[in-house]
């Protein structure tokens, strides 16, 4: 799971996105420097913003993988500010290296491919629209439950009547500074293997 700190663009605020929300039904509750963002219809918590975060925690600008240590520090901030609920998240990697075992043409869409992707501990089916995806590639996969840098949550989906469990990512979708203009998935090279976490920094 990724958290974000950008003093230049936003200010001294730590952003913790949890779920993709609907702007029309989004509101917030404030507990000191901690702002809880939630959905007014479901009461689902979509994320948190921690203002004046440099008072509590030292972070460089950019994306940060949420670790056990960072989670502990964030929950200490919550406690200091009287936030009623601790932050409880699944810290298993949501962005991992996948190995495309096979690629087949989608039965109902010319521009989509159906891929079987090895994630180390399981093989999942992912529908992909990138022209450059192919069997034998190592790629970056956002697993179900991952929250993209754009704020989009990856969910189980059915694309043109075919089940898809995750997303094979491009550099642009991952928010990488070296993103090329041309479209296409990020094909990894070098010493990588299926299942290992993808490191953003």
């Amino acid at each position: 799971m990724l958290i974000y700190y950008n003093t230049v663009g936003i200010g001294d605020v730590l952003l913790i996105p949890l779920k993709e929300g609907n702007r029309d039904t989004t509101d917030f509750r404030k507990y000191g420097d901690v702002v809880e963002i939630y959905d007014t219809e479901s009461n689902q918590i979509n994320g948190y913003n921690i203002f004046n975060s440099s008072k509590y925690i030292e972070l460089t600008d950019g994306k940060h993988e949420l670790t056990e240590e960072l989670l502990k520090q964030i929950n200490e901030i919550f406690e200091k500010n009287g936030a009623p609920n601790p932050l409880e998240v699944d810290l298993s990697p949501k962005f991992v290296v996948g190995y495309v075992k096979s690629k087949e043409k989608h039965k109902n869409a010319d521009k989509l491919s159906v891929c079987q992707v090895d994630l180390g501990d399981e093989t999942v089916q992912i529908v992909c629209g990138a022209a450059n995806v192919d069997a034998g590639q190592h790629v970056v996969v956002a697993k179900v439950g991952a929250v993209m840098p754009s704020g989009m949550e990856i969910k189980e989906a059915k694309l043109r009547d075919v089940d898809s469990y995750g997303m094979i990512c491009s550099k642009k979708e991952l928010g990488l500074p070296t993103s090329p203009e041309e479209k296409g998935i990020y094909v990894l090279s070098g010493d990588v293997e299926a299942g290992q976490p993808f490191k953003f920094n």
Side-chain angles (χ1 to χ4, degrees):
M1 176 182 160
L2 295 176
I3 58 177
Y4 303 89
Y5 186 61
N6 181 354
T7 54
V8 177
I10 300 170
D12 189 11
V13 184
L14 178 61
L15 308 178
I16 307 170
L18 299 176
K19 299 281 185 182
E20 189 176 8
N22 180 346
R23 288 185 180 182
D24 295 334
T25 58
T26 295
D27 206 346
F28 66 90
R29 294 179 277 250
K30 198 168 187 299
Y31 307 99
D33 286 329
V34 176
V35 173
E36 181 182 82
I37 303 159
Y38 71 100
D39 186 275
T40 56
E41 292 183 348
S42 66
N43 209 34
Q44 169 186 279
I45 296 172
N46 295 330
Y48 292 93
N49 293 341
I50 298 176
F51 288 81
N52 304 307
S53 62
S54 62
K55 287 196 314 187
Y56 309 99
I57 193 169
E58 277 190 38
L59 287 174
T60 56
D61 275 22
K63 306 179 189 74
H64 297 270
E65 192 73 37
L66 185 61
T67 61
E68 290 280 0
E69 180 58 32
L70 271 174
L71 181 59
K72 181 182 175 185
Q73 290 176 287
I74 288 167
N75 278 323
E76 286 171 356
I77 296 169
F78 280 23
E79 190 174 348
K80 285 177 184 174
N81 284 274
N85 302 307
L87 180 61
E88 296 179 348
V89 295
D90 175 9
L91 290 180
S92 63
K94 292 293 183 286
F95 294 89
V96 300
V97 175
Y99 177 74
V100 183
K101 295 168 69 174
S102 67
K103 167 195 165 183
E104 295 179 358
K105 189 172 177 176
H106 193 294
K107 60 184 180 183
N108 297 322
D110 291 339
K111 293 185 178 180
L112 296 178
S113 301
V114 181
C115 302
Q116 302 301 321
V117 185
D118 179 6
L119 301 181
D121 58 347
E122 62 178 339
T123 296
V124 299
Q125 178 169 283
I126 299 177
V127 177
C128 181
N132 66 325
V133 69
D134 209 349
Q137 294 172 335
H138 282 99
V139 295
V140 181
V141 173
K143 298 172 72 173
V144 171
V147 177
M148 302 300 292
S150 66
M152 179 179 72
E153 181 187 357
I154 301 302
K155 301 176 182 178
E156 293 181 12
K158 192 180 283 283
L159 302 173
R160 295 288 187 91
D161 294 324
V162 175
D163 292 329
S164 184
Y165 303 93
M167 184 170 80
I168 301 174
C169 303
S170 68
K171 284 189 174 184
K172 187 173 182 180
E173 287 163 336
L174 293 166
L176 299 179
T178 54
S179 302
E181 287 300 317
E182 65 269 16
K183 294 181 179 179
I185 58 160
Y186 182 17
V187 180
L188 300 170
S189 58
D191 187 18
V192 293
E193 60 182 49
Q196 72 184 59
F198 175 70
K199 300 296 184 184
F200 282 80
N201 297 324

